[in-house]
Amino acid sequence: MLKSVIAGLALLSSGSALAEAVAAADAVFLSGKVLTFDRQDRTAEAVAVRDGRIVYVGTNAAAKAMAGAQTRVIDLKGRVLMPGFVDGHVHPLGGGAQLQLCNLEYLPLTTEQFLARIQACLDREPNAPATEPLSVVGWYRQYMQPAGTDPNRDVLDRLRTSRPVVVTNRDGHSTLVNSRALELAGIDNATPNPPGGSITRDATGRATGILEDAAARLVTAKSGTGGVEAATVADGRAALKALAQAGVTSILDAYMTEPGLKVYQELARRGELTLRVHAAIGASPRKGETAEQVVARVRDLRDRYDTPATGPVPALRVHTAKLVMDGVIQAPAQTAGLIEPYWKNHGDHDHPNWGPGDRYGPIYLEPQQLTDITVGLARVGIEPHVHAIGDRAVKVTLDAFEAVRKVVPDDRIRPAVAHAELVAPADYARFKTLNAVPVMSYQWSIPAPNSVTGAKNYLGPERFERMEPFDKLDAAGARVVYGSDWPVDRMDYWLALKAGVTRAGGRNAVPEFRGRLNAADGLARKTALRSITIDGAWALHAEREVGSIEPGKLADLIVLERDFLTMPEEELAENRVLLTMVGGKIVHQTEGLGQ
């Protein structure tokens, strides 16, 4: 069978590609298992690259004939060669910054451990000004020990410092600050909640120091902590290095403002971009901003920063807008908008009695407001990419996309719903009908504090069984795309892909979180890989250039240590990328890959 497939590929490539191959190839990959992900889903054994593009896919014999004295010849020794990863929702500049900040590393921490790690960061900067904030990342709010521990401003005020301290939860939706940070930001008990966020208050009306979603910007806007507003070229470099090592060759940066665009623009100017950047402009309306003003603001940034590529060298593309409809499902935040209320314990810890409560979670944009913005964006050729996690938020978003389809009925606009952790069954088929893209983070289907401790009882058994419905959306015909959402989670693409197949974590999971999240199906292995290659490329309008291995396409390729399609299921997370090539240029290579 394999020989006949290879022969077919050789015949396919023997026309224009081989006719062009008078000049020697720049690089030739031999003796591998080449997963093309082309329309026929064919497999080959060799690939040749010249001038940043793939010029041949087929047999060893024909590829060898294209090698000259200066050709880099790489013997794959049976390893897998496949298209580079296309991450459909990631925050690289934040991830790059996080690699360099005070980091709690997503660990389960007691209050004392939590404070000790932050104090150690403060002690490393004894001469920092009293107004200079300490930004702390990698906090796992739902994993505080013992379970149910939820620190507030009074806990942070125990730190030996006069500096403002800003601690960001792993999901990016909850921020904890000390009293000094509240003071400098001008937040008191009477400060109103901003659009798209809330200042958490206790039973007496006192601000607790927990800021949900857009409320965090009341602090960060004045302190300069975190976010793309404070992004630097150094953050970009750190992120690009990590992504190259992981095999990522194209991304959608899922939240961009002008300072972040300038970072990418500068990296491109210096020739330092090692992946293809597609940027989604933050389009949630500012206070008093109309839909027309939102569209004009996004369009202006698109027109000034979008840089179509002129060859194989990566460029900055700007054709997407990011909107936020709700927050997160997990307790204690519960800021995802649900159709039916969250459950609560009507009993006590020793005698629990879970049932419906009275909280539904917010919707940050009114339905008509969302519709007006998404339709306005579509009219000027900008695609909406909407964060919607709860089933009500997803439903309202799909309703807005119905209006978009009346304006742009074809796939010139490819709207996306990011995360979609809970979707009403009646809405599964609407994704295909509307040609809307569910961008899913498979690692969230691993049993963990956020998915079990913070969600299971609060959703009730029926909704929990439907949580993370990527299998159901795939079965309903939607084109499912993977988005890591890094640095919300650690960068671990193989663990995430394993979760997409098994709904379980790695073999070293702690006993409390072993096994599957729920009884829902996983994806087929090849479907999972397609979601991070050719389907991810389609979502970005890049499928003609990347996402599959075909003559004429850009040489964005990776070599794997192990074959994800055949290795034992329990070991699927135990893989790594040995080589990453972008536009024919090797941007990452491990020792021992023979050539």
Side-chain angles (χ1 to χ4, degrees):
M1 179 64 180
L2 180 59
K3 289 183 178 179
S4 64
V5 171
I6 291 171
L9 278 170
L11 288 172
L12 173 74
S13 302
S14 62
S16 61
L18 289 183
E20 294 170 0
V22 176
D26 297 321
V28 170
F29 295 88
L30 301 173
S31 302
K33 179 180 179 181
V34 181
L35 303 178
T36 66
F37 292 106
D38 67 3
R39 290 186 179 181
Q40 290 74 37
D41 199 21
R42 288 175 283 198
T43 303
E45 63 181 359
V47 169
V49 173
R50 189 177 67 245
D51 296 332
R53 293 188 177 271
I54 298 162
V55 294
Y56 176 73
V57 183
T59 66
N60 276 343
K64 285 180 181 177
M66 302 173 68
Q70 302 301 316
T71 300
R72 181 190 294 267
V73 179
I74 299 174
D75 182 358
L76 295 172
K77 298 181 180 178
R79 295 187 181 98
V80 168
L81 177 73
M82 63 175 282
F85 288 160
V86 179
D87 191 331
H89 185 109
V90 63
H91 305 279
L93 299 182
Q98 185 160 311
L99 293 172
Q100 305 168 80
L101 294 174
C102 180
N103 196 331
L104 302 182
E105 299 178 341
Y106 311 87
L107 292 171
L109 300 172
T110 65
T111 297
E112 295 308 317
Q113 291 169 332
F114 173 76
L115 290 173
R117 291 179 71 96
I118 298 174
Q119 188 67 56
C121 295
L122 289 165
D123 293 346
R124 286 195 290 270
E125 302 175 354
N127 299 317
T131 57
E132 181 178 308
L134 176 75
S135 183
V136 183
V137 296
W139 176 37
Y140 203 153
R141 185 182 183 188
Q142 289 79 18
Y143 213 1
M144 290 292 292
Q145 301 296 306
T149 299
D150 197 32
N152 58 20
R153 65 193 277 189
D154 297 327
V155 171
L156 286 186
D157 288 348
R158 291 159 53 186
L159 293 165
R160 299 185 303 277
T161 186
S162 58
R163 296 172 61 186
V165 177
V166 181
V167 184
T168 304
N169 189 34
R170 57 173 289 281
D171 59 24
H173 290 268
S174 299
T175 301
L176 171 64
V177 302
N178 64 356
S179 295
R180 176 68 165 157
L182 291 175
E183 175 192 349
L184 291 177
I187 298 174
D188 59 26
N189 299 339
T191 303
N193 291 331
S198 62
I199 301 167
T200 302
R201 296 173 170 86
D202 63 19
T204 69
R206 177 176 181 259
T208 66
I210 289 286
L211 308 173
E212 300 291 359
D213 291 305
R217 291 202 285 272
L218 299 175
V219 170
T220 59
K222 295 187 178 181
S223 68
T225 56
V228 294
E229 301 293 346
T232 67
V233 169
D235 297 336
R237 287 195 185 109
L240 291 174
K241 180 179 180 181
L243 289 163
Q245 291 172 344
V248 180
T249 57
S250 292
I251 60 166
L252 176 71
D253 188 312
Y255 185 85
M256 273 283 96
T257 59
E258 189 162 15
L261 292 170
K262 288 181 177 178
V263 169
Y264 285 126
Q265 187 181 63
E266 178 62 16
L267 288 167
R269 186 189 69 80
R270 298 183 186 189
E272 296 182 27
L273 273 187
T274 52
L275 48 69
R276 305 184 194 284
V277 178
H278 299 254
I281 304 300
S284 291
R286 299 165 180 169
K287 187 175 181 178
E289 198 174 31
T290 66
E292 292 78 10
Q293 289 170 329
V294 171
V295 172
R297 169 166 57 86
V298 174
R299 184 179 187 179
D300 172 64
L301 289 172
R302 188 271 309 270
D303 292 347
R304 287 193 287 122
Y305 285 95
D306 184 43
T307 312
T310 56
V313 177
L316 171 62
R317 301 305 316 274
V318 184
H319 52 79
T320 304
K322 169 73 174 292
L323 293 147
V324 179
M325 278 300 290
D326 63 352
V328 295
I329 284 176
Q330 290 73 28
Q334 293 183 335
T335 50
L338 302 187
I339 294 172
E340 299 296 333
Y342 289 95
W343 282 23
K344 68 178 183 179
N345 186 359
H346 297 276
D348 55 34
H349 182 271
D350 295 323
H351 303 90
N353 179 23
W354 290 91
D358 55 4
R359 294 184 62 180
Y360 290 80
I363 294 290
Y364 291 149
L365 298 177
E366 290 301 318
Q368 190 59 54
Q369 185 182 28
L370 177 67
T371 297
D372 290 345
I373 293 172
T374 54
V375 169
L377 291 168
R379 289 186 188 279
V380 296
I382 297 171
E383 291 172 318
H385 184 98
V386 182
H387 169 116
I389 279 183
D391 50 8
R392 182 183 172 216
V394 172
K395 182 178 289 293
V396 172
T397 300
L398 293 175
D399 291 345
F401 290 174
E402 283 193 357
V404 167
R405 282 291 169 240
K406 293 176 182 178
V407 175
V408 184
D410 55 37
D411 70 1
R412 285 174 295 155
I413 295 295
R414 300 172 183 178
V417 181
H419 312 314
E421 287 194 84
L422 192 67
V423 178
D427 286 333
Y428 294 153
R430 295 179 73 195
F431 279 84
K432 180 180 180 182
T433 300
L434 297 171
N435 214 356
V437 181
V439 183
M440 309 298 287
S441 298
Y442 306 144
Q443 69 274 12
W444 295 354
S445 67
I446 295 173
N450 62 301
S451 57
V452 177
T453 311
K456 186 173 183 178
N457 290 329
Y458 298 97
L459 290 178
E462 189 274 333
R463 285 185 296 187
F464 184 72
E465 283 302 310
R466 294 192 279 112
M467 191 175 175
E468 306 301 339
F470 46 79
D471 62 311
K472 298 172 179 64
L473 297 173
D474 174 63
R479 191 189 303 256
V480 177
V481 166
Y482 176 72
S484 70
D485 211 18
W486 179 65
V488 167
D489 299 290
R490 295 180 189 272
M491 184 189 292
D492 194 335
Y493 288 90
W494 298 112
L495 179 61
L497 289 167
K498 178 182 188 294
V501 173
T502 67
R503 292 183 174 268
R507 292 194 289 179
N508 297 322
V510 298
E512 181 183 2
F513 300 120
R514 287 179 185 161
R516 297 171 62 89
L517 178 72
N518 51 29
D521 292 333
L523 301 173
R525 296 189 193 192
K526 188 157 281 189
T527 301
L529 290 182
R530 288 184 65 88
S531 75
I532 198 172
T533 54
I534 188 60
D535 289 342
W538 185 90
L540 299 179
H541 288 274
E543 77 277 12
R544 294 184 180 180
E545 292 279 62
V546 301
S548 62
I549 299 179
E550 302 178 69
K553 283 197 170 184
L554 293 165
D556 290 5
L557 310 168
I558 58 175
V559 177
L560 309 185
E561 183 175 51
R562 304 180 67 184
D563 185 351
F564 185 81
L565 297 180
T566 61
M567 60 194 294
E569 184 174 271
E570 67 273 12
E571 299 175 13
L572 286 175
E574 299 163 24
N575 208 343
R576 62 177 180 144
V577 173
L578 302 181
L579 179 145
T580 304
M581 173 179 280
V582 177
K585 179 181 178 181
I586 293 176
V587 297
H588 162 68
Q589 184 172 3
T590 63
E591 295 181 4
L593 186 61
Q595 65 177 59

